[in-house]
Amino acid sequence: METSKIKSYRELIIWQKSIQLVTNIYRLTRDFPKEELFGLTSQMRRCAISIPSNIAEGFGRNSQGDFKRFLNIALGSTYELQTQIEISLNLEYLNIENYKNLMESCVELEIMTNSLVSKIKAKS
């Protein structure tokens, strides 16, 4: 990836897809039990927000090393969110269709992030 050719993190497909994931997480967690507002709901939202935020921050550092580091942080948040989605299914806060859709989005972001990190490593 040539970040010099991309003028804004907003052009990155990975950032765009992660923004959509955040939107979906917010919509679905609205229906979680009120007692989860400061628990699982809050945690899932913070994890989801962390993904595009770290992609954007890493891109903005204008350093391949920093970008790679922030992508790895975003990847960690993706794994954390997957765990919380699994817990939400087990607690029956999510139905199977919403669970599958969220997990597919997370796995897609995981693959994209790992690919981008590999491309940055290859350039180093």
Side-chain angles (χ1 to χ4, degrees):
M1 186 195 91
E2 287 284 333
T3 54
S4 60
K5 293 179 183 177
I6 297 174
K7 297 189 183 346
S8 170
Y9 62 88
R10 292 174 177 275
E11 296 176 43
L12 298 169
I13 301 299
I14 190 172
W15 181 84
Q16 295 168 12
K17 287 182 178 283
S18 63
I19 287 292
Q20 186 58 53
L21 177 61
V22 172
T23 304
N24 291 338
I25 288 292
Y26 265 78
R27 285 187 179 134
L28 291 170
T29 57
R30 273 188 219 150
D31 297 329
F32 279 22
K34 295 300 173 212
E35 68 264 16
E36 288 294 351
L37 185 59
F38 300 107
L40 194 56
T41 300
S42 175
Q43 189 66 26
M44 288 177 74
R45 288 174 175 186
R46 284 186 284 124
C47 276
I49 288 169
S50 174
I51 299 167
S53 297
N54 277 291
I55 293 167
E57 185 172 356
F59 182 89
R61 296 289 177 116
N62 292 319
S63 155
Q64 293 293 333
D66 281 344
F67 191 29
K68 184 176 75 171
R69 184 168 58 87
F70 279 90
L71 286 171
N72 280 313
I73 294 168
L75 185 60
S77 294
T78 305
Y79 292 144
E80 190 176 349
L81 182 58
Q82 287 175 10
T83 300
Q84 294 157 359
I85 292 167
E86 191 77 37
I87 293 165
S88 298
L89 177 68
N90 291 347
L91 294 172
E92 299 178 354
Y93 298 163
L94 289 174
N95 64 36
I96 194 70
E97 181 182 346
N98 289 332
Y99 165 82
K100 285 180 180 179
N101 289 336
L102 290 174
M103 288 301 266
E104 284 175 15
S105 294
C106 284
V107 169
E108 181 180 29
L109 285 173
E110 177 185 340
I111 291 166
M112 292 176 78
T113 306
N114 279 321
S115 175
L116 192 48
V117 168
S118 292
K119 286 178 186 176
I120 293 169
K121 280 182 185 176
K123 286 187 165 203
S124 301

